[in-house]
Amino acid sequence: MGLSRRRFLVSSAGASAAALVAGCSNGDGGGKAVATGDTVVASPRYLPFHGIHQTGITSPVPASGLIAALDVVRADRSDLARMLRDLTDEIDGMMAGRAYPATDPRLPALQTGTLGEKPPPTDLSVVVSVGASMFDERFGLGSRKPRELVTMPFMANDKLDPDRSHGDLLLTITADSPDATIFALRQLLRRTRGHLVLRWMVDGFNRRSAPKPGQAQVRNLLGFKDGTANLDASEEGLMDEHVWVGDEDGEPAWALGGSYHVVRIIRMFVERWDRTSLTEQEAVIGREKYTGAPLDGRVETDVPDYDDDPKGKRTPLVAHIRLANPRTRATRKNLILRRGLSYSRGFDGNGNLDQGLAFACFQRSLEDGFMAVQRRLDGEPLEEYIQPQGGGFFFALPGVNRRDGWLGEQLLA
Amino acid sequence: MKRLASCTLVVAALVSAFSSCASDDGANVRGTSCGASSGSGSASGSGSGAGSGSCASSGSGISNQGSTDNVKVNEAVAAYDQWVRDQIDGLLEKTKVFTDAVRANDVAAAKAAFAPSRENWEAIEPIAGLVPDIDGAVDSRVDDFASVNDPKFTGWHRLEYLLWEKGTTDGGTPFADELDAELMKLKTEFAKVKLTPIAVAQGSAELIEEVSEGKITGEEDRYSHTDLWDFAANVAGAEKAFELLKPAVNAADADLAADLESDFDDIDAALAKYEEGEGYQSYEALSKADKGDMQAILGSLSENLAKVPGVLKLG
Ligand code: HEM
């Protein structure tokens, strides 16, 4: 561990990770931008690790992501603490682009080498979250469980595979390309080999592009723009209002600055969807497919006016976006920060493609956020084309805001 | 059996009178994996002469070359060498009990003798792999062949298939005879092998890889589900090597020695829960939680054992 490990200034309390993203380095002095087609893509950087929130929750939408759920085994509370320190050290080093010290070539090298001798900037970030099972009898953390954290229940339309659900610990690794996420995964697993075992994993992607005002960056595998009406993660006020657990929430003190983290592995029946008429598809979602405009508007940035359409003549009452966000004063508290990834993993026994959305969202309250939205979505017409098969409820740990701090420090203190 | 067939190019193979160069990827590809280095590794398994620039890595992916001045290491190697030879004697004896039962058409006795007959083998498998071709003949699994009917599918698992899947010893005698003959060949050929420090250190790590890749998944003994016997024997072989090397490891890196010691204690304790009679319960009894624990312990063991050759400045 050289000095390079601590290349970034630790943020002062109060600065959010989102704000820090703007000030990060790409290792050779300032981020450049590369034009690809009609979008402008920022060149990859080393994202800052330190901050009061974990960086990867609000950093720009990643091109690649890997979500791995793990179980903690053969560990007591002090092993757990050591493991989290090791994780922190490795994540910090990788995000900062630390050069791994050379070792005697007769020994296994300290890094996989899959990104070369000195890993280049890749926008890498890792979000570490804990599941409800972390608060069972094993570590004596029962009294510290975030108030609303439960094992993800079985919900309508679900076909949850227990082998692809839940877990003690969730790693969400995001970067500009899959080789970078794989590098990070292998490094993290090596560092924690004796105490963490993989439970399930999903590998995903988004089209790599930079935001343009009023335009969503990506389309999901149904072909619809995804993220149009998402919360703007660079708006600190919005994040404080909807994403970060705060003082007034009655949560354990350690949880401040953290966030409830929901993952849903949602299979899409893409063959069936592709043979559905465009009109039907747009009615199911509630937006125009190509422009992303609401059905009562012209451009993507237009805001649907449901008051003016009480019978659902333009936007069906059961359209996905209308149920998900009825846009009333009362439902404002249900807003969530979505951060999904598309996935594709071969095909099933019927010869149908196994593709879908690794839906992920962050919120200050599980009940007011995901649960409220999901309850409204129950029975929506979109269900005919999708099937939740796994995932889990987690709590994204607060960020590390101290030079020698580590992820989970407050939780285990 | 181990299906890794690596081939390191080395200038001199310091194996006395014998250079081991086998692929163990099944009899169908026997002897081909090291051909690139010097044309050694003939189908007959005789290999090329020592020091001819031949492939010194074995069918089990470990190498047997080099030497050290480290007295502690050399003492360990000498003791391990003797231990391996004792294992081979035990192997011949216990396998004969098994093969005799097959030849006597005694299905129950053969089934009872199957797992015990494999213990000594599993304890030394990577080291036994220094003798080419034996592993492929005695311990390949059905996945190494297009079908169970492939005549090259021989050895323990062919007999296991007959006994458990077919419930018979019919047609087993030729396989039993061949198993005896191959293991006898192992004894004669191994007499010419002189173990090196790197082989002992790598062999120990290789045994744990074997467990992680085949035993913990229940693939090895898929008909009899006696995988935990093999598992325990692999661990015993690795642990023996570590115990002997421990003074040397401790002198070079005391933390590593301590970590390894506690990993071995943990895996022994995890396995002890499944002891039954002279051996172990069926693989099917293994709980998911215990399997997770074992995976983590084996993972830690593998990471730590991988450092041993380097820490001892071998290779
Ligand atoms: C495979 C499953 C899903 C697909 C294909 C999908 C698709 C979409 C699309 C195309 C949009 C419109 C564009 C946008 O604003 O981002 C959207 C919006 C939205 N979705 Fe989903 N979604 C899925 C699952 C979910 C789930 C599980 C939830 C939460 C429980 C959810 C909550 C939302 C919300 C809150 C909006 C924004 C609505 C608005 O503010 O207008 N979605 N979704």
Side-chain angles (χ1 to χ4, degrees), chain B residues 207-276:
Chain B
L207 281 163
I208 301 301
E209 302 281 354
E210 288 259 320
V211 180
S212 298
E213 284 165 26
K215 276 72 173 193
I216 193 95
T217 58
E219 283 164 62
E220 177 84 26
D221 303 307
R222 69 193 58 182
Y223 311 116
S224 61
H225 303 301
T226 53
D227 308 78
L228 294 182
W229 288 69
D230 292 15
F231 186 152
N234 287 158
V235 169
E239 196 164 358
K240 180 72 187 178
F242 169 65
E243 263 165 27
L244 294 170
L245 286 170
K246 194 159 66 191
V249 177
N250 196 42
D253 184 340
D255 288 345
L256 180 62
D259 285 349
L260 277 165
E261 187 147 15
S262 85
D263 285 343
F264 274 118
D265 287 349
D266 286 357
I267 198 71
D268 289 341
L271 272 166
K273 274 175 75 172
Y274 290 92
E275 277 172 11
E276 183 181 81

XYZ file of all heavy atoms in Angstrom, chain B residues 207-276:
536
model
N -3.910 -30.723 -4.182
C -4.912 -31.579 -3.530
C -6.124 -30.758 -3.094
O -7.265 -31.218 -3.194
C -4.283 -32.277 -2.320
C -3.410 -33.491 -2.651
C -2.513 -33.850 -1.471
C -4.280 -34.692 -3.030
N -5.873 -29.556 -2.622
C -6.997 -28.714 -2.184
C -7.777 -28.214 -3.398
O -9.015 -28.136 -3.371
C -6.491 -27.548 -1.303
C -5.759 -28.101 -0.061
C -7.638 -26.648 -0.871
C -6.596 -29.005 0.836
N -7.067 -27.914 -4.492
C -7.778 -27.543 -5.731
C -8.699 -28.681 -6.163
O -9.818 -28.468 -6.629
C -6.804 -27.232 -6.877
C -5.803 -26.115 -6.605
C -6.389 -24.709 -6.747
O -7.550 -24.588 -7.165
O -5.670 -23.743 -6.400
N -8.197 -29.906 -6.021
C -9.001 -31.088 -6.366
C -10.322 -31.102 -5.595
O -11.366 -31.408 -6.141
C -8.249 -32.355 -5.955
C -7.070 -32.683 -6.795
C -7.420 -33.774 -7.772
O -8.125 -34.709 -7.386
O -7.009 -33.660 -8.929
N -10.219 -30.799 -4.325
C -11.429 -30.810 -3.498
C -12.389 -29.731 -3.994
O -13.575 -29.981 -4.197
C -11.095 -30.554 -2.016
C -12.369 -30.575 -1.193
C -10.108 -31.577 -1.487
N -11.851 -28.534 -4.213
C -12.701 -27.414 -4.622
C -13.344 -27.652 -5.972
O -14.448 -27.216 -6.231
C -11.882 -26.124 -4.712
O -11.355 -25.801 -3.457
N -12.629 -28.334 -6.860
C -13.153 -28.488 -8.211
C -14.063 -29.695 -8.388
O -14.895 -29.701 -9.286
C -11.995 -28.561 -9.217
C -11.391 -27.192 -9.457
C -10.035 -27.260 -10.154
O -9.785 -28.240 -10.873
O -9.236 -26.333 -9.941
N -13.888 -30.727 -7.567
C -14.679 -31.924 -7.843
C -15.440 -32.504 -6.668
O -16.575 -32.940 -6.795
N -14.798 -32.481 -5.508
C -15.415 -33.185 -4.377
C -16.531 -32.373 -3.745
O -17.549 -32.915 -3.350
C -14.363 -33.515 -3.317
C -13.601 -34.796 -3.593
C -12.625 -34.658 -4.734
C -11.754 -35.882 -4.901
N -10.625 -35.620 -5.797
N -16.300 -31.065 -3.647
C -17.303 -30.237 -2.984
C -18.573 -30.153 -3.831
O -19.639 -29.807 -3.356
C -16.720 -28.830 -2.671
C -17.596 -28.049 -1.712
C -16.479 -28.018 -3.923
C -17.199 -28.168 -0.296
N -18.435 -30.509 -5.104
C -19.597 -30.470 -5.998
C -20.280 -31.832 -6.120
O -21.328 -31.943 -6.739
C -19.164 -30.063 -7.418
O -18.184 -31.012 -7.862
C -18.554 -28.678 -7.427
N -19.644 -32.854 -5.574
C -20.237 -34.186 -5.678
C -20.089 -34.819 -7.052
O -20.771 -35.777 -7.387
N -19.172 -34.273 -7.862
C -18.999 -34.811 -9.210
C -18.152 -36.070 -9.243
O -18.274 -36.890 -10.144
C -18.273 -33.788 -10.104
C -19.115 -32.655 -10.592
C -18.220 -31.530 -11.110
O -17.474 -31.781 -12.073
O -18.269 -30.425 -10.552
N -17.222 -36.157 -8.287
C -16.221 -37.210 -8.390
C -16.861 -38.593 -8.298
O -16.660 -39.429 -9.158
C -15.161 -37.034 -7.297
C -14.106 -38.124 -7.266
C -12.966 -37.896 -8.259
O -12.703 -36.744 -8.604
O -12.348 -38.889 -8.694
N -17.604 -38.806 -7.235
C -18.199 -40.135 -7.029
C -19.708 -40.036 -7.184
O -20.468 -40.220 -6.247
C -17.819 -40.654 -5.635
C -16.309 -40.708 -5.445
O -15.636 -41.316 -6.297
O -15.816 -40.136 -4.465
N -20.103 -39.724 -8.403
C -21.501 -39.360 -8.610
C -22.469 -40.521 -8.473
O -23.655 -40.331 -8.300
C -21.669 -38.727 -9.988
C -21.478 -39.693 -11.121
C -21.349 -38.948 -12.397
N -20.218 -38.015 -12.311
C -19.887 -37.197 -13.296
N -20.594 -37.145 -14.386
N -18.847 -36.417 -13.181
N -21.953 -41.759 -8.567
C -22.869 -42.901 -8.436
C -22.945 -43.372 -6.985
O -23.999 -43.707 -6.487
C -22.413 -44.052 -9.335
C -22.104 -43.624 -10.758
C -20.816 -43.721 -11.280
C -23.113 -43.101 -11.581
C -20.534 -43.321 -12.573
C -22.831 -42.690 -12.875
C -21.528 -42.804 -13.370
O -21.248 -42.402 -14.644
N -21.783 -43.392 -6.319
C -21.745 -43.938 -4.957
C -21.927 -42.868 -3.885
O -22.226 -43.184 -2.742
C -20.385 -44.603 -4.723
O -19.345 -43.637 -4.857
N -21.714 -41.595 -4.285
C -21.775 -40.463 -3.343
C -20.811 -40.603 -2.172
O -21.086 -40.164 -1.067
C -23.210 -40.252 -2.832
C -24.183 -40.040 -3.948
N -24.056 -39.010 -4.861
C -25.288 -40.740 -4.323
C -25.039 -39.089 -5.735
N -25.803 -40.120 -5.440
N -19.681 -41.236 -2.433
C -18.657 -41.374 -1.392
C -17.623 -40.243 -1.470
O -16.497 -40.384 -0.999
C -17.931 -42.732 -1.526
O -17.445 -42.852 -2.878
C -18.857 -43.886 -1.221
N -18.030 -39.123 -2.051
C -17.095 -38.004 -2.274
C -16.375 -37.540 -1.006
O -15.240 -37.084 -1.075
C -17.837 -36.807 -2.871
C -18.628 -37.190 -4.091
O -19.715 -37.780 -3.932
O -18.168 -36.930 -5.209
N -17.076 -37.625 0.136
C -16.443 -37.104 1.347
C -15.237 -37.942 1.778
O -14.326 -37.441 2.426
C -17.464 -36.971 2.493
C -18.567 -35.917 2.268
C -19.481 -35.833 3.496
C -17.985 -34.549 1.961
N -15.217 -39.208 1.402
C -14.024 -40.024 1.672
C -12.843 -39.449 0.887
O -11.747 -39.290 1.425
C -14.227 -41.470 1.194
C -15.160 -42.320 1.976
C -16.512 -42.186 2.054
C -14.818 -43.477 2.756
N -17.035 -43.180 2.832
C -16.024 -43.995 3.272
C -13.624 -44.129 3.053
C -16.058 -45.129 4.075
C -13.662 -45.267 3.846
C -14.875 -45.756 4.360
N -13.084 -39.165 -0.372
C -12.017 -38.619 -1.224
C -11.582 -37.251 -0.711
O -10.399 -36.921 -0.661
C -12.506 -38.439 -2.667
C -12.776 -39.761 -3.365
O -12.868 -40.789 -2.676
O -12.891 -39.756 -4.605
N -12.578 -36.469 -0.369
C -12.374 -35.123 0.164
C -11.406 -35.205 1.350
O -10.356 -34.528 1.400
C -13.752 -34.604 0.596
C -13.844 -33.183 1.060
C -15.051 -32.488 0.913
C -12.791 -32.527 1.660
C -15.190 -31.179 1.338
C -12.919 -31.209 2.101
C -14.115 -30.545 1.950
N -11.754 -36.075 2.307
C -10.937 -36.183 3.514
C -9.533 -36.680 3.188
O -8.550 -36.229 3.789
C -11.619 -37.123 4.512
N -9.438 -37.582 2.220
C -8.119 -38.110 1.863
C -7.275 -37.033 1.173
O -6.073 -36.910 1.440
C -8.270 -39.331 0.958
N -7.891 -36.230 0.318
C -7.173 -35.111 -0.317
C -6.629 -34.177 0.755
O -5.476 -33.748 0.716
C -8.094 -34.296 -1.235
C -8.459 -34.983 -2.548
O -9.458 -34.657 -3.168
N -7.662 -35.940 -2.984
N -7.503 -33.851 1.701
C -7.092 -32.937 2.762
C -5.959 -33.564 3.581
O -4.965 -32.901 3.904
C -8.286 -32.578 3.683
C -7.809 -31.855 4.935
C -9.301 -31.732 2.921
N -6.087 -34.859 3.882
C -5.050 -35.526 4.683
C -3.697 -35.466 3.974
O -2.661 -35.216 4.604
C -5.443 -36.975 4.962
N -3.714 -35.669 2.664
C -2.459 -35.618 1.900
C -1.848 -34.231 1.925
O -0.634 -34.058 2.087
N -2.703 -33.222 1.770
C -2.218 -31.838 1.776
C -1.697 -31.477 3.152
O -0.656 -30.827 3.305
C -3.353 -30.896 1.372
N -2.422 -31.934 4.159
C -2.059 -31.580 5.530
C -0.743 -32.249 5.938
O 0.073 -31.671 6.647
C -3.191 -31.996 6.480
C -3.095 -31.348 7.834
C -4.391 -31.445 8.634
O -5.390 -31.994 8.105
O -4.406 -30.977 9.781
N -0.572 -33.472 5.455
C 0.686 -34.177 5.752
C 1.860 -33.367 5.201
O 2.866 -33.145 5.893
C 0.650 -35.578 5.129
C 1.895 -36.391 5.370
C 1.943 -36.829 6.823
C 3.279 -37.499 7.149
N 3.337 -37.879 8.570
N 1.736 -32.950 3.966
C 2.823 -32.176 3.349
C 3.061 -30.894 4.140
O 4.206 -30.523 4.413
C 2.490 -31.855 1.900
N 1.975 -30.242 4.520
C 2.144 -28.989 5.275
C 2.809 -29.233 6.624
O 3.718 -28.514 7.026
C 0.808 -28.272 5.468
C 0.903 -27.135 6.446
C 1.689 -26.017 6.159
C 0.275 -27.191 7.680
C 1.820 -24.978 7.081
C 0.411 -26.161 8.605
C 1.183 -25.058 8.294
N 2.352 -30.276 7.320
C 2.945 -30.565 8.631
C 4.459 -30.726 8.523
O 5.208 -30.230 9.358
C 2.368 -31.856 9.197
C 1.234 -31.624 10.166
C 0.466 -32.910 10.415
O 1.066 -34.003 10.291
O -0.736 -32.815 10.705
N 4.869 -31.444 7.478
C 6.301 -31.676 7.313
C 7.034 -30.391 6.934
O 8.153 -30.143 7.363
C 6.542 -32.775 6.275
C 6.048 -34.168 6.701
C 6.090 -35.143 5.530
C 6.880 -34.709 7.865
N 6.367 -29.567 6.127
C 7.021 -28.321 5.679
C 6.899 -27.202 6.710
O 7.534 -26.158 6.576
C 6.400 -27.842 4.359
C 6.768 -28.617 3.090
C 5.885 -28.162 1.929
C 8.248 -28.415 2.734
N 6.078 -27.431 7.715
C 5.752 -26.342 8.647
C 6.975 -25.658 9.266
O 7.033 -24.419 9.278
C 4.794 -26.839 9.732
C 4.170 -25.704 10.514
C 2.892 -26.127 11.213
C 3.158 -27.157 12.285
N 1.925 -27.774 12.798
N 7.976 -26.412 9.752
C 9.137 -25.713 10.326
C 9.772 -24.753 9.323
O 10.151 -23.636 9.679
C 10.096 -26.859 10.672
C 9.226 -28.072 10.809
C 8.088 -27.878 9.856
N 9.835 -25.170 8.078
C 10.438 -24.309 7.055
C 9.543 -23.103 6.773
O 10.009 -21.964 6.676
C 10.665 -25.107 5.769
N 8.230 -23.347 6.641
C 7.302 -22.234 6.376
C 7.321 -21.261 7.550
O 7.368 -20.047 7.372
C 5.865 -22.754 6.136
C 4.894 -21.590 5.926
C 5.809 -23.692 4.932
N 7.331 -21.821 8.727
C 7.319 -20.995 9.931
C 8.549 -20.091 10.007
O 8.455 -18.919 10.362
C 7.251 -21.916 11.151
C 6.837 -21.166 12.390
O 5.924 -20.335 12.319
N 7.517 -21.419 13.485
N 9.680 -20.637 9.617
C 10.909 -19.841 9.644
C 10.848 -18.717 8.610
O 11.363 -17.627 8.828
C 12.114 -20.740 9.379
N 10.169 -18.994 7.479
C 10.135 -17.994 6.405
C 9.012 -16.983 6.591
O 9.146 -15.811 6.248
C 9.988 -18.693 5.053
N 7.885 -17.432 7.100
C 6.714 -16.554 7.218
C 5.785 -17.142 8.287
O 4.914 -17.975 7.986
C 6.013 -16.468 5.854
C 4.835 -15.492 5.853
O 4.314 -15.170 6.943
O 4.432 -15.060 4.757
N 5.997 -16.697 9.510
C 5.276 -17.300 10.636
C 3.765 -17.068 10.541
O 2.968 -17.932 10.908
C 5.815 -16.749 11.954
N 3.363 -15.910 10.000
C 1.924 -15.635 9.864
C 1.276 -16.630 8.918
O 0.173 -17.133 9.170
C 1.686 -14.221 9.316
C 2.009 -13.160 10.357
O 2.131 -13.519 11.545
O 2.145 -11.979 9.969
N 1.966 -16.878 7.831
C 1.422 -17.823 6.853
C 1.281 -19.204 7.474
O 0.259 -19.882 7.299
C 2.322 -17.876 5.606
C 1.865 -18.822 4.501
C 0.507 -18.410 3.939
C 2.895 -18.885 3.372
N 2.290 -19.626 8.218
C 2.233 -20.946 8.867
C 1.037 -21.009 9.830
O 0.301 -21.994 9.858
C 3.535 -21.228 9.612
N 0.822 -19.927 10.567
C -0.282 -19.908 11.531
C -1.631 -19.933 10.810
O -2.551 -20.654 11.214
C -0.178 -18.681 12.424
N -1.728 -19.152 9.732
C -2.985 -19.143 8.972
C -3.277 -20.533 8.413
O -4.412 -21.012 8.456
C -2.899 -18.151 7.804
C -2.997 -16.705 8.272
O -3.332 -16.494 9.453
O -2.727 -15.803 7.459
N -2.259 -21.165 7.882
C -2.458 -22.501 7.310
C -2.867 -23.482 8.392
O -3.754 -24.314 8.187
C -1.180 -22.965 6.610
C -1.037 -22.421 5.186
C 0.389 -22.591 4.675
C -2.017 -23.130 4.247
N -2.238 -23.383 9.515
C -2.570 -24.292 10.597
C -4.043 -24.137 10.980
O -4.767 -25.108 11.152
C -1.665 -24.016 11.794
C -1.854 -25.028 12.889
C -0.554 -25.296 13.636
O 0.399 -24.502 13.498
O -0.515 -26.310 14.354
N -4.501 -22.900 11.085
C -5.895 -22.731 11.500
C -6.851 -23.132 10.376
O -7.916 -23.677 10.624
C -6.147 -21.327 12.052
O -6.417 -20.422 11.025
N -6.463 -22.902 9.126
C -7.306 -23.378 8.013
C -7.445 -24.904 8.046
O -8.542 -25.449 7.869
C -6.692 -22.987 6.660
C -6.869 -21.510 6.337
O -7.715 -20.848 6.960
O -6.151 -21.019 5.433
N -6.331 -25.583 8.261
C -6.401 -27.057 8.302
C -7.236 -27.522 9.496
O -8.025 -28.462 9.383
C -4.997 -27.668 8.329
C -4.396 -27.856 6.956
C -3.227 -27.195 6.589
C -5.005 -28.690 6.017
C -2.667 -27.360 5.315
C -4.455 -28.868 4.743
C -3.284 -28.188 4.395
N -7.070 -26.857 10.631
C -7.899 -27.215 11.791
C -9.384 -27.050 11.457
O -10.213 -27.893 11.796
C -7.565 -26.326 12.998
C -6.217 -26.704 13.618
O -5.677 -27.763 13.247
O -5.718 -25.934 14.457
N -9.689 -25.957 10.774
C -11.093 -25.689 10.449
C -11.666 -26.723 9.481
O -12.803 -27.171 9.632
C -11.241 -24.292 9.827
C -11.101 -23.182 10.855
O -10.952 -23.500 12.050
O -11.125 -22.000 10.464
N -10.880 -27.088 8.486
C -11.435 -28.041 7.508
C -11.561 -29.426 8.155
O -12.522 -30.157 7.905
C -10.623 -28.065 6.183
C -11.435 -28.698 5.057
C -9.286 -28.775 6.300
C -12.577 -27.882 4.556
N -10.613 -29.774 9.018
C -10.724 -31.051 9.736
C -11.995 -31.076 10.590
O -12.723 -32.069 10.616
C -9.500 -31.273 10.631
C -8.241 -31.573 9.822
O -8.378 -31.953 8.636
O -7.124 -31.431 10.366
N -12.244 -29.970 11.269
C -13.426 -29.910 12.130
C -14.703 -29.977 11.294
O -15.671 -30.647 11.667
C -13.403 -28.627 12.958
N -14.694 -29.311 10.157
C -15.882 -29.323 9.294
C -16.164 -30.733 8.796
O -17.317 -31.175 8.745
C -15.690 -28.359 8.123
N -15.098 -31.452 8.454
C -15.272 -32.820 7.961
C -15.672 -33.778 9.079
O -16.433 -34.728 8.849
C -13.966 -33.313 7.327
C -13.778 -32.998 5.852
C -12.326 -33.222 5.456
C -14.704 -33.860 4.986
N -15.155 -33.521 10.270
C -15.414 -34.432 11.389
C -16.911 -34.595 11.652
O -17.377 -35.653 12.067
C -14.700 -33.933 12.650
N -17.671 -33.535 11.364
C -19.123 -33.611 11.557
C -19.754 -34.713 10.726
O -20.863 -35.151 10.995
C -19.763 -32.289 11.107
C -19.781 -31.228 12.162
C -20.316 -29.923 11.611
C -21.817 -29.898 11.399
N -22.282 -28.530 11.042
N -19.068 -35.108 9.661
C -19.654 -36.079 8.729
C -19.028 -37.468 8.828
O -19.298 -38.326 7.999
C -19.566 -35.537 7.296
C -20.503 -34.367 7.112
C -20.072 -33.060 7.324
C -21.838 -34.578 6.789
C -20.947 -31.985 7.202
C -22.720 -33.519 6.664
C -22.269 -32.229 6.869
O -23.149 -31.182 6.752
N -18.201 -37.651 9.867
C -17.594 -38.977 10.020
C -18.671 -40.009 10.333
O -19.636 -39.718 11.025
C -16.562 -38.954 11.151
C -15.211 -38.431 10.707
C -14.262 -38.228 11.876
O -14.581 -38.685 12.996
O -13.208 -37.595 11.651
N -18.436 -41.217 9.833
C -19.396 -42.294 10.103
C -18.653 -43.610 9.926
O -18.045 -43.833 8.863
C -20.545 -42.204 9.096
C -21.650 -43.220 9.325
C -22.734 -43.080 8.266
O -22.534 -43.614 7.155
O -23.745 -42.429 8.549
